[in-house]
Amino acid sequence: MTRAQIANVDLVKQVNCSAVYRLIDSRGPISRVRIAELSHLAPASVTKITRSLLEQGLIRELEHQASTGGRRAISLTTVTHPFHLVAVKLGREELRLTLYDLSGRAHARHVLPFPRREQDVLLPALHRHIADFIQHEAAGLRLMAVGLVMPGLTDAQAGRVLAHPCYPLAGVPLAERLGASLGLPVFIGNDIRAQALAEHYYGASQDCLDSVLVSVHHGVGAGIITEGRIFKSQGRDVAEIGHIHVDPLGERCDCGNFGCLETMVADAALLRQARHMLDQGYHSSLAEQELTMGALCRAALEQDRLAVNILCQAAERLGQVMAIVINLFNPQRVLLSGALCEAESLVFPIINKAIRHQSLPGFHQGQVLIRARFQDDQTIGGLALVKRGLLEGELLQRIMEQKS
Ligand SMILES: [Zn+2]
């Protein structure tokens, strides 16, 4: 066989193997016969692939009484607990590391300050922190990979950073560089897009194939999941909804334009509005306390006029943009993540009303905004990136090639 033919055979093996693993992961416990029916693979191929998956400990057999009576049937299910991974968030001057097992359970978490620095010292420092974490928390465990998320823009397919708001990483093939120094596969991606995937695999949109997560925090972003995958264009990031123009006379945004959504509804924007009004002499319970998103939400829930007005206006703007997203993608579910979810009983009805009035009736029918599950877990996206590597075959193939 030529080299190209060998590469083709390898690719077919990888595609078939991941198709079988995906079916066991999503439909398990499932019989080999049913896998063959659903995957359209020959029963002999299914037997061969499941044998390899069993040898690697990625799946196990369950014996149970067949519904038709008679001899006992064997079903297959995935094994998650022995497989561990390190999820990293390279945030804004902060590094978060979590050790998860593949079921989504977190076993250890570290949070460290990570100041801005030049690239030549940044990469060795990042490597050292991850390697130390592995040494302290994951010694002796079966570690599959590292999943690293960050704000900014990434080319996840190429493992390359396009822009980070704090660190000089533009153009750096971070997955390859870290992977080589750590001796582990590394997957990178944008934090919000990866959180949307985590909600799909483990959280509030597990039961739908098409969903949108809108996250309001330092900025405003979205992750769009279509057919169970992050919607993207040629490996580039999309869904930068924070930079949709909503106010012709708005403030200047970090992106250089004026009146972007995030200049009006991101945490910093809401706190800035509150501070401005307080300085003007508006009466509010917020005058006597430290101004935080938590304080703003609590004051709004206690009917503080100033806090209520600020959050209602933000919810209307957010609803307006969410209606646009719903008209574009017609998702089965829309999730919201961010500190303003603390005022859910005030904010959600306003967003839902805007969605009802401003998106196509057929698109928002039965659509109710839901709070994302992983509000407080900033590294969860790293777990999702590794799980995606398994389900889509790339990481699965590497594990299958290891000696069990
Ligand atoms: Zn902008």
Side-chain angles (χ1 to χ4, degrees), residues 281-356:
Y282 275 79
H283 178 71
S284 166
S285 61
L286 290 165
E288 292 113 47
Q289 51 186 318
E290 194 193 344
L291 197 51
T292 62
M293 277 304 291
L296 184 66
C297 290
R298 279 191 300 278
L301 291 176
E302 286 161 11
Q303 303 305 320
D304 181 275
R305 279 278 294 282
L306 177 69
V308 168
N309 286 341
I310 288 174
L311 287 185
C312 287
Q313 196 186 43
E316 269 167 35
R317 300 280 193 200
L318 209 49
Q320 188 186 338
V321 170
M322 281 191 186
I324 296 173
V325 175
I326 289 172
N327 278 340
L328 285 172
F329 292 96
N330 192 8
Q332 293 163 281
R333 185 160 303 155
V334 183
L335 310 176
L336 182 63
S337 177
L340 89 177
C341 287
E342 261 193 67
E344 182 176 339
S345 59
L346 174 76
V347 168
F348 280 39
I350 297 169
I351 298 177
N352 278 324
K353 193 170 158 200
I355 290 174
R356 262 197 321 278

Side-chain angles (χ1 to χ4, degrees), residues 5 12 28 42 71 78 158 171 184-186 201 205 210 235 239 269 271 286 323 356 358 371 384:
Q5 282 170 323
V12 170
R71 76 189 175 100
T78 47
L184 280 168
V186 175
Y201 288 150
S205 55
D210 301 325
L271 296 177
L286 290 165
R356 262 197 321 278
Q358 295 170 34
R371 196 176 172 143

Side-chain angles (χ1 to χ4, degrees), residues 109-268:
R109 293 184 191 273
H110 290 192
V111 184
L112 318 158
F114 197 67
R116 293 169 195 250
R117 52 193 118 181
E118 294 302 317
Q119 199 186 99
D120 57 338
V121 283
L122 179 75
L123 289 178
L126 185 58
H127 161 83
R128 198 174 56 249
H129 285 307
I130 301 174
D132 283 354
F133 180 77
I134 291 173
Q135 200 186 357
H136 284 109
E137 303 293 352
L141 295 175
R142 188 162 181 189
L143 208 53
M144 290 188 299
V146 173
L148 186 149
V149 295
M150 65 184 80
L153 300 174
T154 61
D155 177 345
Q157 218 167 355
R160 192 179 291 275
V161 183
L162 302 178
H164 191 289
C166 285
Y167 308 111
L169 286 170
V172 174
L174 190 62
E176 191 191 313
R177 298 273 289 273
L178 272 180
S181 64
L182 292 167
L184 280 168
V186 175
F187 299 91
I188 70 162
N190 167 273
D191 53 353
I192 299 169
R193 260 65 87 189
Q195 188 195 338
L197 195 61
E199 296 286 348
H200 169 61
Y201 288 150
Y202 299 98
S205 55
Q206 247 182 106
D207 53 339
C208 15
L209 284 175
D210 301 325
S211 58
V212 171
L213 167 79
V214 172
S215 174
V216 181
H217 46 280
H218 191 90
V220 180
I224 296 163
I225 304 292
T226 57
E227 295 289 324
R229 292 185 168 166
I230 300 178
F231 175 77
K232 58 191 179 191
S233 144
Q234 299 292 320
R236 299 194 304 268
D237 266 328
V238 293
E240 283 294 328
I241 65 162
H243 301 286
I244 291 178
H245 177 78
V246 288
D247 182 1
L249 296 172
E251 305 255 332
R252 192 176 181 117
C253 178
D254 288 344
C255 73
N257 293 331
F258 293 89
C260 294
L261 179 68
E262 72 177 40
T263 64
M264 311 199 68
V265 309
D267 293 357

Side-chain angles (χ1 to χ4, degrees), residues 71-133:
R71 76 189 175 100
R72 295 180 77 76
I74 304 277
S75 289
L76 299 165
T77 186
T78 47
V79 176
T80 51
H81 294 93
F83 295 92
H84 292 78
L85 60 109
V86 173
V88 182
K89 177 164 179 189
L90 181 58
R92 294 165 194 263
E93 305 199 27
E94 183 188 82
L95 191 64
R96 289 174 182 262
L97 302 120
T98 306
L99 176 72
Y100 294 98
D101 68 39
L102 198 52
S103 75
R105 191 165 156 232
H107 295 268
R109 293 184 191 273
H110 290 192
V111 184
L112 318 158
F114 197 67
R116 293 169 195 250
R117 52 193 118 181
E118 294 302 317
Q119 199 186 99
D120 57 338
V121 283
L122 179 75
L123 289 178
L126 185 58
H127 161 83
R128 198 174 56 249
H129 285 307
I130 301 174
D132 283 354
F133 180 77

